[in-house]
Amino acid sequence: YFLPFGFVAMGLAVVILTGGIDLSVGSTAALSALVMAQLWAMFGVNIWVASAIALVLGGMLGAINGLIVTRLKVEPLIATLSTSFIYGSIATAVGGDAPPSGFPDSFNAIGSGAIDPTGLIPWQLVLFAILAAATALLIGHTGFGRKVVMIGYNVGVAHYSGISVKRVLVACYVLSGFTAALAGLVLAAYYSAARPAMGDPLLLSTLTMVALGGVSIFGGAGTIIGVV
């Protein structure tokens, strides 16, 4: 059950490396899971197609955060706290009086099933390993990752070095929204249900994980491996 916190931590660490923060991850997780659930329950959409739509939605919610921060120049703390309330309210409305539950076993397997017959290697762990490896490579071994760290270290220097600061920041928030949505889907599969409050425990725990993993809350220092 703890691995959804790890999913969120991967995206959140990238945002914090830039010197920002994303307080909307819990609401993003819940809203994405509920949209997936309602698409499946109300409209008969294949649950895997609905899950893909939910992941795209998570990225879009992250993009909204990034655009508010970069275009409207609102401090990340205030911007994402505001969108957290907005996304959470929408999630409550989408969930309705009786949020969907009882998802197919094939979907539930990603939350509570295992890849091997002995049950020693959970699907959650496989997904986390893939996400962690991809994020570590992205930040530690690509030009994009160097730009992320540079922005967190000194945004002014990054700008005058020719880095498109706004584009990089929006991309980081998109990643945070995507990983939050993934966490929401895994939680929905674990419980075989989606609820508006299901993402509430994610924020504080993941912030702690990122900080204890060595990522500076001021940005510009830390590694994804440390968070892992």
Side-chain angles (χ1 to χ4, degrees):
Y1 168 70
F2 68 90
L3 281 171
F5 294 91
F7 295 136
V8 176
M10 292 296 96
L12 193 57
V14 175
V15 171
I16 292 177
L17 276 170
T18 68
I21 196 168
D22 185 356
L23 300 181
S24 70
V25 289
S27 298
T28 299
L31 178 54
S32 300
L34 281 163
V35 167
M36 175 278 297
Q38 293 291 23
L39 286 173
W40 170 76
M42 293 183 64
F43 301 101
V45 177
N46 178 277
I47 197 160
W48 297 110
V49 174
S51 297
I53 293 172
L55 291 174
V56 172
L57 173 63
M60 292 174 61
L61 297 176
I64 292 172
N65 288 337
L67 291 172
I68 293 173
V69 170
T70 59
R71 302 298 178 180
L72 301 183
K73 301 187 184 303
V74 179
E75 285 295 321
L77 183 70
I78 297 173
T80 58
L81 179 63
S82 301
T83 55
S84 175
F85 289 122
I86 295 170
Y87 299 164
S89 299
I90 297 173
T92 301
V94 171
D97 296 331
S101 60
F103 303 128
D105 291 341
S106 59
F107 176 77
N108 293 337
I110 68 172
S112 55
I115 192 172
D116 63 312
T118 62
L120 293 177
I121 307 175
W123 275 108
Q124 285 193 38
L125 182 59
V126 174
L127 291 174
F128 176 72
I130 294 171
L131 178 63
T135 308
L137 287 173
L138 177 68
I139 299 303
H141 300 280
T142 68
F144 177 82
R146 288 189 287 274
K147 292 174 184 178
V148 168
V149 175
M150 175 61 76
I151 289 171
Y153 186 75
N154 191 314
V155 67
V157 171
H159 174 74
Y160 287 112
S161 297
I163 294 173
S164 181
V165 173
K166 292 181 179 180
R167 288 185 181 181
V168 173
L169 287 177
V170 171
C172 290
Y173 282 97
V174 168
L175 179 60
S176 181
F178 175 86
T179 57
L182 179 60
L185 293 178
V186 173
L187 282 174
Y190 181 82
Y191 291 116
S192 193
R195 296 290 183 270
M198 64 188 300
D200 290 353
L202 292 172
L203 176 60
L204 291 180
S205 296
T206 51
L207 283 173
T208 303
M209 292 164 69
V210 172
L212 291 178
V215 176
S216 171
I217 61 172
F218 302 106
T223 64
I224 299 300
I225 296 301
V227 179
V228 173

